[in-house]
Amino acid sequence: AQSVTQLDSQVPVFEEAPVELRCNYSSSVSVYLFWYVQYPNQGLQLLLKYLSGSTLVKGINGFEAEFNKSQTSFHLRKPSVHISDTAEYFCAVRRGNRDDKIIFGKGTRLHILP
Amino acid sequence: NAGVTQTPKFQVLKTGQSMTLQCAQDMNHNSMYWYRQDPGMGLRLIYYSASEGTTDKGEVPNGYNVSRLNKREFSLRLESAAPSQTSVYFCASLGRITLGEQYFGPGTRLTVT
């Protein structure tokens, strides 16, 4: 069975500073990995996904993530955050294309400090 | 094209009452999901359905039943609601050509008193 661990429940960061949100997964088979964002009082929106190929994936709003198979990680980064990035971020994992079960982490709340 | 719709948006139940949460998608997606979201717990998978006529348990299935009525609709039933089932419930769908991206409904906020 797959699982996801988001190591930080909350991350405070100053506006225009870089940020990294950490995600580790476990699975015995190859995986698809996702980051979703949930703005206050809204639903979930896909930021980016890794299915195969290049380990560095770029998403919307200037976010990117790097898949690291040896460390079983998929950390999300942004070089300069804005107040509009205040949201909760969720990492999710799916066991490749053969299994439709998709598991989410507990989320990381990003606080942007002025 | 409405995407994923959920009804109702809000619901208050008394302990022991039953209710069904409805979900429908108009994207011709094969797979559908029910998650619950609780503070500090993220989204937890309750049940999912990979195709019409099939359903599978997720991480927290106890106290819930589901029905995949047809390709469009996937309902979640609480037979005897408990305060521990107070949560926000999200339905999602996944198509074969969306390459893994789930589409989420707006959520149902359920309170059990």
Side-chain angles (χ1 to χ4, degrees):
Chain A
Q2 71 268 47
S3 68
V4 177
T5 302
Q6 290 185 244
L7 297 162
D8 305 295
S9 59
Q10 296 191 65
V11 172
V13 61
F14 286 103
E15 197 167 13
E16 298 183 9
V19 68
E20 179 179 83
L21 305 183
R22 297 180 293 168
C23 173
N24 286 88
Y25 69 92
S26 68
S27 174
S28 58
V29 298
S30 62
V31 295
Y32 293 168
L33 292 157
F34 309 88
W35 276 100
Y36 284 83
V37 61
Q38 185 179 35
Y39 297 105
N41 299 312
Q42 293 188 27
L44 279 84
Q45 176 184 358
L46 182 71
L47 269 180
L48 49 78
K49 61 189 175 190
Y50 171 79
L51 304 180
S52 64
S54 173
T55 57
L56 183 65
V57 292
K58 295 189 183 297
I60 62 172
N61 301 340
F63 284 93
E64 64 180 32
E66 184 155 21
F67 171 60
N68 188 317
K69 188 175 181 180
S70 63
Q71 297 188 7
T72 60
S73 67
F74 190 55
H75 300 334
L76 181 70
R77 302 185 184 101
K78 186 169 183 178
S80 176
V81 296
H82 301 105
I83 196 75
S84 58
D85 294 321
T86 298
E88 191 157 22
Y89 294 80
F90 294 96
C91 184
V93 63
R94 176 184 175 190
R95 294 193 307 172
N97 200 32
R98 292 167 293 176
D99 184 347
D100 285 357
K101 187 175 183 180
I102 301 176
I103 299 297
F104 282 75
K106 293 185 177 182
T108 298
R109 197 170 291 277
L110 181 60
H111 292 285
I112 308 300
L113 306 171
Chain B
N1 192 340
V4 180
T5 57
Q6 292 183 234
T7 55
K9 286 188 167 48
F10 300 93
Q11 184 71 49
V12 179
L13 291 178
K14 293 186 188 310
T15 298
Q17 287 184 319
S18 63
M19 80 160 294
T20 300
L21 280 65
Q22 306 286 353
C23 174
Q25 52 91 9
D26 62 1
M27 296 173 283
N28 201 36
H29 286 174
N30 291 306
S31 303
M32 297 185 73
Y33 304 77
W34 277 106
Y35 293 90
R36 59 177 290 175
Q37 183 178 22
D38 303 289
M41 300 300 291
L43 276 80
R44 291 181 290 172
L45 181 63
I46 305 172
Y47 273 93
Y48 66 107
S49 169
S51 62
E52 185 180 347
T54 68
T55 60
D56 286 285
K57 294 179 180 179
E59 302 168 278
V60 289
N62 292 344
Y64 304 96
N65 288 301
V66 290
S67 295
R68 184 74 183 269
L69 306 167
N70 48 55
K71 193 171 186 179
R72 289 187 65 248
E73 298 171 294
F74 189 38
S75 62
L76 179 72
R77 183 161 178 81
L78 287 71
E79 290 291 352
S80 178
S84 60
Q85 294 178 306
T86 293
S87 187
V88 180
Y89 291 84
F90 286 99
C91 178
S93 69
L94 173 72
R96 289 285 173 262
I97 62 171
T98 56
L99 298 180
E101 177 179 359
Q102 287 175 298
Y103 289 80
F104 283 84
T108 294
R109 187 173 294 274
L110 175 67
T111 302
V112 183
T113 61

